[in-house]
Amino acid sequence: MDESLRGLRVIITAGASGIGRVTAGAFLEQGARVHICDISPEHLQDFQAAFPQAGATRADVSDPAQVAAFMQAALERLGGVDVLVNNAGTAGPTALAEEISVADWDHTMRVGIHAQFYCAREVIPLMKKNRRGSIVNMSSTAGLFGFPLRTPYAAAKWAVIGLTKTLAMELGEFGIRVNAICPGAVEGARIDGVIERNAAALGKTREAIRQEFMRHTSMRTFVGPQDVANLILFLCSEKGEKISGQALAVDGHTESLR
């Protein structure tokens, strides 16, 4: 157990499933206190049954009013905040740029980047007052490469890195570190959906698309949610206290996305 994580007050968006849920569980195992949000009532119910010691709020983080209400509930329950994990995101549409609707573009941006700003601006004043804190923003290897057929997703993930590096510059003097994590293809329902949509768009089988994804990495592998959670915990611990402004890939080394 890492004693530097014990007692940390941790807020995680989209924390009831996938990477968020595994990350919440990992923090709880280390003795941290956790409050999450999620948009899915079913996922929230399942999360609360599995982790009754954690707090949970239903919220759509693309709506600043719902973010404010979620943060108020989290801060009242935790009594403050030491860690924010901006995990919420959406895969967005799979199509050529000219075929993507304005509504799909806007929704991908609201969830993928606007929400991270909404959440960060809620916790920054408290972290400044405490002169400590860690913000971890979820980007993607799509934030390091172009990603054909996924224009809004890639644009949002590149924007996350810009937000991260700028916040790190603004907040470093207050002892607050800000980093972005860039997962590759993460096993789970989201990547399964991406594979299915790519297969339909390109007229290929799902297995062929899956193998193409794996060939894009030097290690010929997908990663698991626990791999991502491990890095998040490291960054938020004393071991990561001098790491800030970085975009760190957990991806088996992505060579390209095409």
Side-chain angles (χ1 to χ4, degrees):
M1 180 174 287
D2 188 334
E3 290 297 326
S4 68
L5 296 170
R6 181 181 293 277
L8 286 184
R9 298 162 296 181
V10 180
I11 297 175
I12 304 173
T13 65
S17 65
I19 292 171
R21 177 180 173 128
V22 173
T23 301
F27 270 113
L28 289 167
E29 286 180 3
Q30 297 298 319
R33 299 171 60 206
V34 174
H35 194 106
I36 71 153
C37 76
D38 206 280
I39 197 171
S40 166
E42 294 79 16
H43 289 160
L44 279 169
Q45 184 176 10
D46 185 61
F47 176 87
Q48 289 181 297
F51 303 106
Q53 70 273 44
T57 301
R58 185 171 186 268
D60 176 354
V61 292
S62 71
D63 179 349
Q66 293 190 45
V67 168
F70 157 56
M71 286 295 177
Q72 181 177 355
L75 294 170
E76 286 178 357
R77 184 178 182 278
L78 299 175
V81 58
D82 301 298
V83 173
L84 168 65
V85 180
N86 266 322
N87 174 63
T90 183
T94 300
L96 294 169
E98 68 271 24
E99 298 170 354
I100 294 169
S101 70
V102 171
D104 281 345
W105 173 273
D106 286 347
H107 180 260
T108 306
M109 289 297 172
R110 286 199 308 272
V111 178
I113 180 62
H114 296 178
Q116 295 200 10
F117 166 72
Y118 299 152
C119 292
R121 71 189 295 270
E122 294 285 339
V123 304
I124 285 170
L126 294 171
M127 289 184 173
K128 278 186 172 181
K129 183 178 180 180
N130 294 335
R131 301 195 68 83
R132 57 175 249 171
S134 181
I135 299 173
V136 180
N137 297 324
M138 197 63 66
S139 182
S140 165
T141 49
L144 304 172
F145 298 88
F147 199 173
L149 301 179
R150 302 286 300 286
T151 303
Y153 179 79
K157 294 305 185 181
W158 277 75
V160 168
I161 294 175
L163 174 69
T164 297
K165 289 184 174 291
T166 303
L167 289 180
M169 292 175 178
E170 291 185 2
L171 302 177
E173 65 181 287
F174 300 96
I176 303 166
R177 51 201 194 268
V178 188
N179 291 288
I181 294 185
C182 302
V186 180
E187 293 282 8
R190 181 179 293 182
I191 194 63
D192 290 343
V194 170
I195 288 170
E196 185 171 352
R197 290 189 293 275
N198 276 25
L202 298 173
K204 297 182 179 181
T205 67
R206 283 177 288 185
E207 183 58 27
I209 296 296
R210 184 179 178 86
Q211 291 302 316
E212 285 182 12
F213 272 56
M214 293 182 71
R215 283 195 296 273
H216 292 159
T217 69
S218 300
M219 296 181 72
R220 302 295 189 264
T221 184
F222 283 16
V223 299
Q226 188 65 55
D227 297 315
V228 181
N230 290 343
L231 180 54
I232 293 173
L233 265 65
F234 176 82
L235 290 172
C236 297
S237 74
E238 289 181 353
K239 296 173 183 176
E241 66 181 358
K242 297 298 191 296
I243 302 173
S244 191
Q246 303 304 305
L248 302 165
V250 186
D251 64 342
H253 182 226
T254 302
E255 297 172 2
S256 73
L257 292 177
R258 182 167 188 160

